[in-house]
Amino acid sequence: MRVSRPGETQFIGAEIYRGSSYGSWHPLRVPRVSTVMDLARALGWLGAAQYLTSPRAKPAALSLWHAPDYIAALQRAEARQAVTEAERARYGLGTHSNPVFAQVYRRPATAAGGSLLAGELLARGGVIHHPAGGTHHGLKDRANGFCYLNDPVLGMLSMRRAGIRRIAYIDIDAHHPDGVETAFAGDPEVLMISVHEERRWPFTGGLDDVAGGAAVNLPVPRGFNDSEMALTRETLILPLVDRFAPEAVVLQCGADAVEEDPLARLSLSNNAHWEIVAALRLMAPRYLVLGGGGYNPWSAGRLWTGVWAVLNGIEIPDRLSPEGEAVLRALRWEGDRRGKAPPEHWFTTLRDRPRPGPVRDEIRDRLARLRQREGLC
């Protein structure tokens, strides 16, 4: 049964994301969280009372899930700005995906600190938007897929420590949340639902992968559109969450599933994300919305700023104010290989044009198979 949500809405951010980059060649060289902070403030949507500065998690807090020797290796990598060959092989540090950079410990520890804080705060109810979170590939003792730590896992364990047991984790990033699934496989008090692009890294999350009964995975083909996501939302995601009756809902709202993202081949508009954000807001008295993937700075910044508007019941304008437009016009995407100038609406609007389309038979068939398996038919 869906219920209204009491409690305040809070935003977790930090200044470390403004000047931090994985490197000039890395997909995460682009500004993302700082854009959301600046844009929401420029539009008058984010006041001091709602903003919380993310703490940097200490090693003891990170060891709630991560191995102490891995945390120590991550700290050494930042201090030395280098890793040994043995450390690279053992911990996945200093690789193409997970390079050593100036804030290689401090930045992920800050994102993790935000999710740990969110778990504590949500014990009393409410809604939190933490766009720096969503690093869902991090493993217990190894960096993985641009993720050095796994803040969704830490946030959910923080909720557990605060007495919250039943947690629904929904992931609409273009990539499967292999780290989260590893952490909670077989847990009867966690429901994990992932909608992700098939045949894309990390090549996990197949239709038959149930993670010991805790997961429902829907791999989708390239070109997945708004109409197909709407059907998925209404016939799979919401019925499963409703039946599970969670005490808390965590949504990993990765922005790489929109059409303009360079690292995926899905065709969603940001409307599809916002509709899921709005629907899940009614499903539990506690709600944590994380960021995740997103490698086009305009797409990620606009999408996650829109998430904040949806969570606060703010009407998204057809055209941004001059102050908001200035934030988006100031963005730069160094190394963008698209070979063309950004379209004007990336500067002047938050809302994409909807991207409806035919619902393909393969989507209908997969949804029907999952619904039958999960007893929704």
Side-chain angles (χ1 to χ4, degrees):
M1 178 177 177
R2 301 184 191 180
V3 296
S4 297
R5 178 180 308 286
E8 56 190 342
T9 305
Q10 295 178 299
F11 184 107
I12 295 179
E15 287 299 313
I16 193 171
Y17 308 112
R18 189 177 303 282
S20 173
S21 169
Y22 281 35
S24 61
W25 49 269
H26 197 282
L28 278 174
R29 64 189 177 275
V30 299
R32 307 186 317 154
V33 179
S34 58
T35 301
V36 182
M37 292 160 52
D38 293 346
L39 187 51
R41 285 170 173 153
L43 295 171
W45 297 351
L46 179 59
Q50 289 181 291
Y51 181 83
L52 298 173
T53 299
S54 177
R56 184 190 310 162
K58 295 181 179 178
L62 296 174
S63 65
L64 185 63
W65 189 61
H66 288 286
D69 63 309
Y70 170 63
I71 299 167
L74 191 57
Q75 290 180 297
R76 286 196 304 272
E78 179 169 301
R80 299 173 181 170
Q81 286 298 290
V83 293
T84 66
E85 288 298 325
E87 288 171 329
R88 180 178 293 109
R90 174 68 182 84
Y91 301 114
L93 298 171
T95 65
H96 182 79
S97 293
N98 291 90
V100 174
F101 63 99
Q103 302 88 11
V104 69
Y105 170 75
R106 284 174 289 164
R107 174 168 163 161
T110 301
S115 289
L116 286 162
L117 174 63
E120 296 171 9
L121 295 175
L122 288 171
R124 61 173 184 259
V127 180
I128 294 178
H129 184 27
H130 177 30
T135 54
H136 57 178
H137 298 305
L139 301 176
K140 189 170 188 174
D141 57 358
R142 188 175 178 86
N144 185 46
F146 306 169
C147 303
Y148 298 86
L149 300 170
N150 197 310
D151 73 272
V153 170
L154 291 168
M156 293 164 71
L157 291 177
S158 177
M159 291 180 188
R160 283 275 176 86
R161 194 163 53 179
I164 301 165
R165 301 304 306 174
R166 295 180 67 79
I167 304 171
Y169 173 83
I170 298 89
D171 195 306
I172 56 174
D173 193 286
H175 302 82
H176 178 250
D178 52 339
V180 180
E181 187 169 294
T182 297
F184 293 105
D187 190 323
E189 294 185 305
V190 170
L191 169 66
M192 295 178 283
I193 305 171
S194 176
V195 182
H196 51 272
E197 187 177 351
E198 65 182 2
R199 292 191 289 274
R200 182 161 295 282
W201 192 93
F203 307 108
T204 53
L207 196 68
D208 295 321
D209 172 16
V210 298
V216 177
N217 285 296
L218 177 63
V220 298
R222 63 187 300 162
F224 187 63
N225 61 49
D226 286 1
S227 301
E228 292 171 325
M229 181 60 99
L231 183 64
T232 300
R233 182 188 74 234
E234 294 300 319
T235 65
L236 186 71
I237 296 174
L238 298 186
L240 285 172
V241 174
D242 195 32
R243 185 180 68 183
F244 186 70
E247 297 172 77
V249 173
V250 178
L251 172 63
Q252 201 271 19
C253 195
D256 51 4
V258 298
E259 187 170 82
E260 298 89 355
D261 195 89
L263 295 194
R265 296 295 179 267
L266 304 182
S267 297
L268 298 176
S269 74
N270 55 25
N271 298 281
H273 290 66
W274 297 342
E275 287 163 2
I276 290 176
V277 170
L280 289 174
R281 196 183 193 285
L282 303 175
M283 306 295 280
R286 302 166 183 88
Y287 192 21
L288 173 59
V289 182
L290 305 171
Y295 309 97
N296 176 322
W298 289 281
S299 293
R302 291 164 62 243
L303 192 156
W304 293 337
T305 303
V307 166
W308 180 243
V310 170
L311 293 176
N312 285 279
I314 297 169
E315 185 175 352
I316 296 173
D318 292 334
R319 179 160 186 135
L320 296 177
S321 65
E323 294 81 4
E325 185 176 328
V327 172
L328 293 174
R329 288 194 182 278
L331 293 180
R332 297 292 179 268
W333 191 359
E334 303 298 336
D336 174 21
R337 297 180 180 179
R338 292 176 308 115
K340 55 184 178 181
E344 186 68 9
H345 76 271
W346 286 5
F347 303 139
T348 61
T349 68
L350 287 188
R351 189 182 298 278
D352 295 332
R353 288 183 179 179
R355 296 188 178 114
V359 178
R360 289 166 285 181
D361 288 343
E362 58 193 312
I363 298 293
R364 293 187 187 277
D365 291 346
R366 292 175 195 183
L367 286 171
R369 181 173 165 184
L370 290 176
R371 283 176 54 82
Q372 183 175 29
R373 190 188 77 197
E374 297 299 320
L376 294 175
C377 296

